[in-house]
Amino acid sequence: MLTKKPNQSLFRRILFWTHLGVGIATGIVVFVLALTGALLTYEAQIKAAYEPSVAPSVDKAEMLSTDELVAIARPVFSGRTTTLDIYKDSTKPVAVKAGRHDYKLLDPYTGQFIATETNPSEGFFEFVEDLHRSLAGGRNSVGADIAKAANLAFLFLILSGIYLWMPKRWKGYFLKQRILFTKMPTAKARDFNWHHVFAFWMLIPLIAVVGTGVIISYGWANKLVFETAGLDVPMGRGKGGGMWAKSSGSGVSNKPVEELVSFQAIYEKARLVRDDWNSLSIIVPGNEKAKSVDVLIDRGNGKQVALQQQITYSRETGDVIKEQGPDQLATPTQTLKRYIRFLHSGEVYGIIGQTLAGLASVASLFLVWTGLALAWRRLISPLFVKRAKPNRTLLHN
């Protein structure tokens, strides 16, 4: 006697087949996005490991003064807000920056710029990032539109999967096979188990990474988030200045340059503000006779605004004019925009956040693989099963 399968609600059936159809349609692209996302997990650390190091030599035993470094940095990105980043680790070169990709490395002993092309990881990560954002088609390409749509579809799969994940009974075997890796008798049962377990344990990181990807990709999603938060909607991408650079711009002093407090003296003061700083970023004044100079003290990875403070020093007296913590460094809109940007990569929470974002990407690879495998067994495999031919002898009797 055949047993009847329990009736499923119409909503659940519709949601299941929609989930299945969207997964099949976008699975390959989502797999590429997840794979490239996993490769980008520790991009900053890997690139840093390949960055050239600096050290004193017989000819140059001491570093150039901060004033000399500022003078070298000033004309590099003329007309743009530029920072001179000096690291606590003395083996790291000084960086002259005007944005994420606009930077030059400077040897503080010789005053010569170091060719960044020598970093073997630079080209690799540029390619992977381009593949991640636009399937290597470039910004505003068809590939970029496909990548955005696939990311949006993946968010739907995650959210619809929450409902479909729920077991018939919240105990025993039904629950166990959805939250624990279990030895299964068949490949189909194993894929079902893995699909549900990876989704369960990586749900929050997945929503964070994929959801922020949608917000970054689509203007309507960006607008929805900021309006819901009661904030001004950011307009487009900012130009120049780096992610955190913000100059107070206090005007030009009437004093001769030689009478102004040196950048070296200000640097020495700033480095004593905190013992746990990782980098000091001097926002390079456009004019050598600027009345003040801003120094950003960073205790994190350069992308965690909560671990930053900015001090404005008078170049006429050397005194502190203004001190700004994380809340004063940016408007609420800017703070949320930066949080969304670096929540996508996990960097807002440092190495732990990066690791969770990377694990979410790896989990996505398994979700795509097991999802497509289950779809194949449900829709394609039955087509290749040989049906038993009727026994003609019995039919004639």
Side-chain angles (χ1 to χ4, degrees), residues 38-54:
L39 292 174
L40 290 168
T41 300
Y42 300 114
E43 176 187 3
Q45 286 82 359
I46 294 172
K47 287 170 73 172
Y50 280 102
E51 291 286 12
S53 59
V54 295

Side-chain angles (χ1 to χ4, degrees), residues 74-279:
R74 184 176 285 116
V76 174
F77 296 106
S78 182
R80 300 173 63 181
T81 304
T82 304
T83 64
L84 180 71
D85 297 352
I86 303 173
Y87 298 94
K88 194 171 189 178
D89 181 355
S90 60
T91 65
K92 296 184 70 172
V94 170
V96 181
K97 294 182 179 178
R100 185 183 177 194
H101 296 293
D102 296 326
Y103 72 95
K104 291 189 176 184
L105 300 179
L106 179 63
D107 186 328
Y109 293 96
T110 65
Q112 300 296 314
F113 287 103
I114 303 169
T116 54
E117 291 78 10
T118 58
N119 189 331
S121 66
E122 191 75 34
F124 171 76
F125 282 115
E126 282 185 10
F127 171 74
V128 173
E129 189 173 305
D130 189 31
L131 194 61
H132 185 73
R133 291 181 172 181
S134 63
L135 304 180
R139 192 178 174 188
N140 299 323
S141 66
V142 174
D145 292 335
I146 292 173
K148 291 176 185 178
N151 190 72
L152 179 60
F154 193 27
L155 181 61
F156 165 77
L157 292 174
I158 294 168
L159 297 179
S160 58
I162 294 173
Y163 181 83
L164 296 172
W165 176 92
M166 295 181 183
K168 299 171 187 176
R169 300 174 188 171
W170 288 90
K171 60 181 180 179
Y173 176 77
F174 294 100
L175 182 59
K176 181 182 177 181
Q177 67 177 344
R178 283 167 167 79
I179 65 173
L180 296 175
F181 290 108
T182 307
K183 187 176 181 181
M184 292 294 180
T186 65
K188 180 180 178 180
R190 178 205 64 207
D191 290 340
F192 179 89
N193 174 236
W194 286 16
H195 195 73
H196 287 73
V197 173
F198 276 112
F200 175 77
W201 289 108
M202 285 288 107
L203 177 62
I204 293 176
L206 276 170
I207 291 176
V209 172
V210 179
T212 51
V214 171
I215 297 169
I216 293 168
S217 298
Y218 289 102
W220 59 264
N222 189 64
K223 183 179 179 182
L224 177 63
V225 168
F226 282 87
E227 287 186 345
T228 302
L231 300 174
D232 295 329
V233 180
M235 302 300 291
R237 294 172 179 262
K239 291 185 179 181
M243 183 57 77
W244 316 117
K246 186 179 179 182
S247 176
S248 58
S250 59
V252 178
S253 174
N254 293 322
K255 288 186 175 184
V257 174
E258 55 272 14
E259 292 184 18
L260 296 176
V261 177
S262 69
F263 289 109
Q264 180 67 32
I266 290 172
Y267 165 72
E268 295 295 342
K269 285 189 175 187
R271 66 195 298 269
L272 296 176
V273 172
R274 299 193 63 105
D275 292 331
D276 57 348
W277 63 278
N278 288 330
S279 68

